Short mmCIF file of all heavy atoms in Angstrom, two decimals:
data_model
loop_
_atom_site.label_atom_id
_atom_site.label_comp_id
_atom_site.label_asym_id
_atom_site.label_seq_id
_atom_site.Cartn_x
_atom_site.Cartn_y
_atom_site.Cartn_z
N SER A 28 61.72 6.24 24.51
CA SER A 28 60.81 6.98 25.38
C SER A 28 60.43 8.32 24.76
O SER A 28 59.26 8.72 24.75
CB SER A 28 61.46 7.19 26.75
OG SER A 28 60.66 8.03 27.56
N ILE A 29 61.42 9.04 24.24
CA ILE A 29 61.17 10.33 23.60
C ILE A 29 60.32 10.14 22.36
O ILE A 29 59.40 10.92 22.08
CB ILE A 29 62.51 11.02 23.25
CG1 ILE A 29 63.25 11.37 24.53
CG2 ILE A 29 62.26 12.28 22.41
CD1 ILE A 29 62.47 12.23 25.49
N ARG A 30 60.64 9.10 21.59
CA ARG A 30 59.86 8.81 20.39
C ARG A 30 58.39 8.64 20.73
O ARG A 30 57.51 9.28 20.11
CB ARG A 30 60.40 7.55 19.72
CG ARG A 30 59.63 7.11 18.47
CD ARG A 30 60.18 5.80 17.92
NE ARG A 30 61.60 5.91 17.62
CZ ARG A 30 62.54 5.19 18.19
NH1 ARG A 30 62.23 4.30 19.12
NH2 ARG A 30 63.80 5.36 17.87
N ASN A 31 58.10 7.83 21.72
CA ASN A 31 56.71 7.57 22.08
C ASN A 31 56.03 8.82 22.63
O ASN A 31 54.84 9.07 22.35
CB ASN A 31 56.65 6.45 23.13
CG ASN A 31 57.07 5.11 22.57
OD1 ASN A 31 57.03 4.89 21.36
ND2 ASN A 31 57.50 4.21 23.43
N GLU A 32 56.78 9.61 23.39
CA GLU A 32 56.19 10.82 23.97
C GLU A 32 55.82 11.82 22.88
O GLU A 32 54.73 12.42 22.90
CB GLU A 32 57.14 11.45 24.97
CG GLU A 32 56.52 12.62 25.72
CD GLU A 32 57.39 13.13 26.85
OE1 GLU A 32 58.53 12.66 26.98
OE2 GLU A 32 56.91 14.00 27.59
N LEU A 33 56.69 12.03 21.93
CA LEU A 33 56.40 12.95 20.84
C LEU A 33 55.19 12.51 20.03
O LEU A 33 54.32 13.31 19.68
CB LEU A 33 57.61 13.09 19.92
CG LEU A 33 58.77 13.93 20.44
CD1 LEU A 33 60.02 13.73 19.57
CD2 LEU A 33 58.38 15.41 20.49
N ILE A 34 55.12 11.22 19.75
CA ILE A 34 53.99 10.70 18.97
C ILE A 34 52.69 10.87 19.74
O ILE A 34 51.66 11.25 19.16
CB ILE A 34 54.24 9.22 18.61
CG1 ILE A 34 55.41 9.12 17.60
CG2 ILE A 34 52.98 8.57 18.04
CD1 ILE A 34 55.89 7.71 17.36
N ASP A 35 52.72 10.62 21.03
CA ASP A 35 51.52 10.79 21.85
C ASP A 35 51.09 12.26 21.91
O ASP A 35 49.89 12.58 21.86
CB ASP A 35 51.76 10.26 23.27
CG ASP A 35 51.81 8.75 23.33
OD1 ASP A 35 51.40 8.09 22.35
OD2 ASP A 35 52.28 8.21 24.35
N MET A 36 52.06 13.16 22.04
CA MET A 36 51.74 14.58 22.09
C MET A 36 51.08 15.04 20.80
O MET A 36 50.08 15.78 20.80
CB MET A 36 53.02 15.38 22.35
CG MET A 36 53.56 15.24 23.77
SD MET A 36 55.32 15.71 23.91
CE MET A 36 55.28 17.45 23.46
N ALA A 37 51.62 14.59 19.68
CA ALA A 37 51.05 14.97 18.39
C ALA A 37 49.66 14.37 18.19
O ALA A 37 48.76 15.01 17.62
CB ALA A 37 51.97 14.54 17.26
N ALA A 38 49.47 13.15 18.67
CA ALA A 38 48.15 12.51 18.54
C ALA A 38 47.11 13.27 19.34
O ALA A 38 45.97 13.48 18.88
CB ALA A 38 48.23 11.05 19.01
N ASN A 39 47.48 13.72 20.53
CA ASN A 39 46.58 14.52 21.35
C ASN A 39 46.24 15.84 20.65
O ASN A 39 45.08 16.28 20.61
CB ASN A 39 47.23 14.79 22.70
CG ASN A 39 46.32 15.52 23.66
OD1 ASN A 39 45.10 15.35 23.62
ND2 ASN A 39 46.89 16.33 24.53
N ASP A 40 47.25 16.47 20.09
CA ASP A 40 47.07 17.71 19.33
C ASP A 40 46.07 17.52 18.19
O ASP A 40 45.13 18.30 18.02
CB ASP A 40 48.43 18.15 18.78
CG ASP A 40 48.36 19.32 17.81
OD1 ASP A 40 47.86 19.14 16.68
OD2 ASP A 40 48.83 20.41 18.18
N GLN A 41 46.28 16.46 17.41
CA GLN A 41 45.44 16.25 16.24
C GLN A 41 44.03 15.79 16.59
O GLN A 41 43.06 16.13 15.90
CB GLN A 41 46.11 15.24 15.31
CG GLN A 41 47.36 15.78 14.65
CD GLN A 41 47.07 16.96 13.74
OE1 GLN A 41 46.62 16.76 12.60
NE2 GLN A 41 47.31 18.17 14.22
N GLU A 42 43.91 15.04 17.67
CA GLU A 42 42.57 14.58 18.08
C GLU A 42 41.70 15.78 18.44
O GLU A 42 40.53 15.86 18.03
CB GLU A 42 42.69 13.63 19.28
CG GLU A 42 41.39 12.92 19.66
CD GLU A 42 40.48 13.77 20.53
OE1 GLU A 42 40.99 14.64 21.28
OE2 GLU A 42 39.24 13.59 20.45
N PHE A 43 42.27 16.73 19.19
CA PHE A 43 41.49 17.90 19.57
C PHE A 43 41.19 18.76 18.36
O PHE A 43 40.05 19.21 18.17
CB PHE A 43 42.22 18.73 20.62
CG PHE A 43 41.44 19.95 21.03
CD1 PHE A 43 40.38 19.83 21.92
CD2 PHE A 43 41.73 21.19 20.48
CE1 PHE A 43 39.62 20.94 22.27
CE2 PHE A 43 40.99 22.30 20.83
CZ PHE A 43 39.93 22.18 21.72
N ARG A 44 42.18 19.00 17.51
CA ARG A 44 41.94 19.84 16.35
C ARG A 44 40.96 19.18 15.37
O ARG A 44 40.24 19.88 14.65
CB ARG A 44 43.26 20.17 15.65
CG ARG A 44 43.99 21.30 16.36
CD ARG A 44 45.33 21.64 15.73
NE ARG A 44 45.78 22.95 16.18
CZ ARG A 44 46.31 23.21 17.36
NH1 ARG A 44 46.51 22.23 18.23
NH2 ARG A 44 46.67 24.44 17.69
N GLY A 45 40.92 17.86 15.35
CA GLY A 45 39.94 17.18 14.53
C GLY A 45 38.52 17.46 14.99
O GLY A 45 37.59 17.56 14.17
N ARG A 46 38.34 17.60 16.30
CA ARG A 46 37.02 17.95 16.84
C ARG A 46 36.71 19.43 16.65
O ARG A 46 35.56 19.82 16.48
CB ARG A 46 36.96 17.59 18.33
CG ARG A 46 36.96 16.11 18.61
CD ARG A 46 36.64 15.83 20.06
NE ARG A 46 37.77 16.08 20.95
CZ ARG A 46 37.77 16.96 21.94
NH1 ARG A 46 36.70 17.72 22.14
NH2 ARG A 46 38.82 17.10 22.72
#
Side-chain angles (χ1 to χ4, degrees):
S28 173
I29 295 304
R30 178 184 303 119
N31 292 338
E32 187 173 6
L33 284 168
I34 292 170
D35 287 346
M36 288 160 63
N39 185 31
D40 172 290
Q41 291 297 280
E42 189 278 331
F43 179 79
R44 280 178 163 77
R46 291 191 283 120

